[in-house]
Structures are given as C-alpha cells and as structure tokens.
Amino acid sequence: MREYPRNLWVLAIGMMINVTGTSFLWPLNTIYISEVLGHTLRDAGFVLLLNSGANLLGNLLGGALYDRIGGKKTIFIGVILSCLSVIALAYNREWYFYISMMILLGFSGGLVFPAIYAMANGVWPEGGRKAFNVIYVSQNVGVAIGSALGGIVSMFSFTYVFLANALTYFIFLLIIWLGLDNKLATQPRDLVDRGEKKQAKGQVELRTHRLELYALSLLSYGFMAVWLGYVQLQTTVSVYMESMGITRAHYSSLWAINGALILLLQPFLSRLVNRYMSSITAQLLIGGSLFTVSILYFSQQTTYLGFVAGMVVITIGEMLVWPAIPTAVAYLSPPGKSGLYQGIASGAATIGKMIGPYLGGILYDSYNYTFMMLVMVVIVATSLVSFFFYSQVGRRREKELQF
C-alpha cells in the first residue's frame, strides 16, 4: 500500500465521499417522483433521461475544462453547482423546478468524473492500471455506503436526503481542494516532452493523432456497448425477477453481492491481472467475454441462485473492464488532451446508460425477456470486435511513435 502516492489516496477518498452522496439520491429518484411529487413512472423515466443527457454534456465539457483550467478548478465548479442543486431541491417540491434541478445536477456531476480520472493518471502516471483500480474500488465503496444510508435517511424525510447529499459534496470539495498539492501538473511531464519532440515531425504527428482518435473511438464504442447490456441488470432484470416470484429483497441482495465481491476479490484479481494479463487489450477482451457469457447466462435463468451465479461472473468482468478503459484512454491521450479524452470515454458510457433502459424496455414489452437479453448479448459481443481492432490500431500507433 505504501507504493501508492498520497495524492492518489486523496483522490480515492474524495471519490468515495462524492459517490456516497450521489448514491443517497439516485436509487430513490423514482420513489420520490411517484410518491412525493405524485407523477407517473413514465415521467420519472423521462426526468432520468434528461439527467443522463445533461451528464453526457458535463462529461465532455468537464474533460475540456480539465485541459484548460486544471482538475481542482473543474471539480470546484461541478461540486458547487451540485451542492446548490440539492439544497434547492430540499426546499422546493414544484415539478418543473425539480426537472430543471435534475438537469443541472446531471450536468454538474458530469463535470467531475473526467477530471478525477485524468488527475489519477496525472498524480501517478507510472502506476498505470493500479491508479484506476484504486479509484474504481473507492467508487464502489461509495455506492454501497450511499445506497444503504440513503434508504435509512429517507425513512425520516426526503429533505434530509437532499441535505445529506449536499453535506457529502461539501466534504468532497474540502478533501480535494485542501488535500491535493497545488502544483499538480495536468499532464505527466514525459508525455509533454514526447509531444514537444513530435511536433517537428509533421506528417508522423498527424498520422499518430488520427490513430489515437481511431483507437479512442473503438474504446468508446466498446465501453458504450458493454454498458448497454450491463444496465439491464439495474432495470429490466429486476422486473423479470419480480415476475418470476423473486422478491425485491433478493434482487437488492444481488447488488450487495456485487459490492462485496469487488472489495474481496480485488487483491486476488490484481495478482492474476499482473501475472496473466500483461496488456490492457487482454484485460479488455477477457472482461468483455465474461460480460457476453454472463448476459447470455442471465437470459436463461429463472431461479435466484442462477441470478447469483450470473452476478458473480459479470462482476469479475466489470472489475476487468471498468478500470481498463480509463487506463487505455490515459495511454492514448496526447499532451494537453487527457481530460478531453477521458470525457469522451465517460460520455460513451453515459450514452450506454441512457439508451440501455429505453431499448431494453421496448424489447421487453414488444417481445419478451429472453429475446431482449439475447439482443443485448449480440450488442455486448460487438465490444470484443471493437477491443480487438483497438489493439491493432495501438500497434500501428506504437510504430509511428518509434519513428
């Protein structure tokens, strides 16, 4: 543990606090809209769609802002806007005001994540995937804590949920603003040096940049495709399980298993990755294969234990793919573009989260659960093709860089 730099721990703790606050709210949104505001589930879905769309814009702008003004200032803007949004929601329950604040909250939250990932690479560039593993695990700890506490707090009042969310945002801001070194560079120095040397090589630099954009597009598509399938576990699978007589409590326990596995398996999986998956491509291909197999397995299940087994497999796939994407993006990013590239990748994941529930719902209602999941298998399987071609482009890029 001592090899991890102090600034990375500050980022990890900050991420955990931030996601804890966010997780106070997102599992309860549908309940709040239907039971407190008195609107339909369709209305709730529309609001969450707007929230995700704003989050996508925030991802893209947040990455660009990181490259322009640095990570701390970008996070400051995002967190202040988020904090003001949830405080306003605590005291105003008018429907259109709620919609506008959820849009602002999605946008402001989107500003933060690309900056965190870009900073993780900036504070420990030589750490590679280890840096992103730390951020990934801290994020999941936050989800587990926030989801549990949010349900308890909401039993007293939803006003307390919003205020508790605001408090976590404020703590997160203090941790990042006071805990991180002020002299942090937005880009690792060796990449800047390499970029400066390449500027004199005109055509080589242009070809390299095109290859980087092509590789980023392949990674982003793969990320989106995997999320399209994965998000079904949070939406249509819960409806199907209930139709099969499996209780909501049992469904909720699947996510408890997911969080526990991420914490318990991380040390063992890290050793396996270091020993047998030396390249990011291998990690992506194995992880994507586990996603494909597990979703195919989910499509045939009718028992709770079957869903538990599927959750174990897909969690391992998640542990491989989620940290590998920002690691690969960090390696691709040219000098001064780290934030933008991370924002594009984060935006691709957000598109998957936006489209997935809508597409899954249409297929589920028009056909059936099994057909819907088989379509998702095909979509997720295309990520393997995308990750494979990413590796081919990466090899060509390496040859250009060695010119």
Side-chain angles (χ1 to χ4, degrees):
M1 302 294 285
R2 293 177 182 175
E3 69 174 312
Y4 293 81
R6 172 187 167 278
N7 283 315
L8 183 63
W9 285 118
V10 173
L11 283 173
I13 294 170
M15 176 64 101
M16 182 186 71
I17 298 296
N18 177 50
V19 176
T20 296
T22 304
S23 300
F24 262 66
L25 188 56
W26 70 260
L28 301 170
N29 259 317
T30 302
I31 297 173
Y32 181 77
I33 291 171
S34 59
E35 295 185 3
V36 178
L37 299 181
H39 283 260
T40 65
L41 293 181
R42 182 177 179 178
D43 291 335
F46 179 68
V47 172
L48 294 177
L49 182 66
L50 294 176
N51 175 267
S52 296
N55 189 261
L56 171 61
L57 293 177
N59 288 153
L60 298 175
L61 181 59
L65 282 175
Y66 170 85
D67 296 327
R68 247 186 175 345
I69 64 176
K72 292 177 74 171
K73 291 180 181 177
T74 302
I75 290 172
F76 180 83
I77 294 170
V79 173
I80 288 296
L81 289 175
S82 295
C83 196
L84 292 175
S85 299
V86 291
I87 290 174
L89 286 172
Y91 298 106
N92 189 318
R93 296 184 177 179
E94 200 271 329
W95 173 237
Y96 290 105
F97 182 81
Y98 181 80
I99 294 175
S100 63
M101 288 299 101
M102 286 300 293
I103 292 172
L104 179 58
L105 194 59
F107 174 76
S108 58
L111 294 174
V112 173
F113 281 82
I116 290 287
Y117 283 119
M119 290 177 79
N121 182 61
V123 301
W124 197 28
E126 65 276 12
R129 72 187 85 185
K130 292 181 183 178
F132 296 106
N133 275 337
V134 172
I135 299 298
Y136 167 70
V137 172
S138 66
Q139 185 176 350
N140 279 277
V141 172
V143 169
I145 296 172
S147 300
L149 292 180
I152 295 171
V153 173
S154 67
M155 293 172 64
F156 297 95
S157 170
F158 272 98
T159 299
Y160 295 152
V161 172
F162 293 121
L163 293 178
N165 195 177
L167 178 61
T168 58
Y169 283 141
F170 181 70
I171 295 171
F172 168 54
L173 187 60
L174 287 179
I175 290 172
I176 296 298
W177 199 258
L178 301 178
L180 287 177
D181 295 342
N182 288 323
K183 295 182 179 180
L184 280 177
T186 57
Q187 291 288 335
R189 188 63 228 172
D190 63 325
L191 290 182
V192 175
D193 291 341
R194 188 183 70 190
E196 290 169 351
K197 292 172 184 176
K198 285 290 175 184
Q199 285 182 4
K201 297 186 177 181
Q203 293 300 317
V204 174
E205 183 190 37
L206 180 60
R207 288 197 301 270
T208 302
H209 183 56
R210 286 174 177 170
L211 289 172
E212 287 166 347
L213 289 176
Y214 186 26
L216 177 65
S217 300
L218 291 167
L219 278 174
S220 297
Y221 172 80
F223 205 13
M224 180 194 70
V226 171
W227 261 108
L228 269 166
Y230 184 76
V231 77
Q232 302 309 318
L233 271 67
Q234 302 170 2
T235 53
T236 50
V237 169
S238 63
V239 177
Y240 176 71
M241 288 178 67
E242 193 166 9
S243 72
M244 299 301 295
I246 301 172
T247 66
R248 292 182 186 178
H250 280 93
Y251 169 73
S252 297
S253 70
L254 289 179
W255 293 105
I257 292 169
N258 172 267
L261 286 172
I262 289 169
L263 293 178
L264 294 174
L265 294 181
Q266 191 64 45
F268 305 103
L269 195 62
S270 295
R271 293 191 186 97
L272 288 175
V273 167
N274 292 332
R275 180 171 295 183
Y276 300 110
M277 301 177 219
S278 57
S279 71
I280 289 295
T281 302
Q283 191 172 335
L284 287 170
L285 289 173
I286 293 172
S289 298
L290 291 174
F291 268 107
T292 306
V293 169
S294 60
I295 292 175
L296 177 61
Y297 180 77
F298 271 118
S299 71
Q300 306 300 315
Q301 295 314 300
T302 57
T303 65
Y304 173 66
L305 289 179
F307 284 105
V308 169
M311 179 59 84
V312 172
V313 177
I314 206 168
T315 298
I316 297 172
E318 171 190 348
M319 293 173 70
L320 291 172
V321 173
W322 285 183
I325 294 288
T327 305
V329 171
Y331 178 71
L332 283 174
S333 303
K337 300 290 184 181
S338 177
L340 177 62
Y341 276 43
Q342 292 290 351
I344 291 171
S346 297
T350 301
I351 292 173
K353 297 173 194 177
M354 286 173 59
I355 298 174
Y358 185 66
L359 178 61
I362 291 174
L363 293 173
Y364 187 98
D365 291 338
S366 302
Y367 299 95
N368 53 53
Y369 168 79
T370 301
F371 179 81
M372 181 274 297
M373 290 297 278
L374 290 176
V375 171
M376 293 302 157
V377 170
V378 174
I379 292 173
V380 173
T382 63
S383 70
L384 298 175
V385 179
S386 182
F387 293 148
F388 173 77
F389 280 108
Y390 153 76
S391 69
Q392 303 306 304
V393 175
R395 289 194 183 99
R396 287 181 59 192
R397 175 176 175 267
E398 280 298 310
K399 291 179 182 179
E400 294 289 349
L401 289 173
Q402 292 168 9
F403 176 76

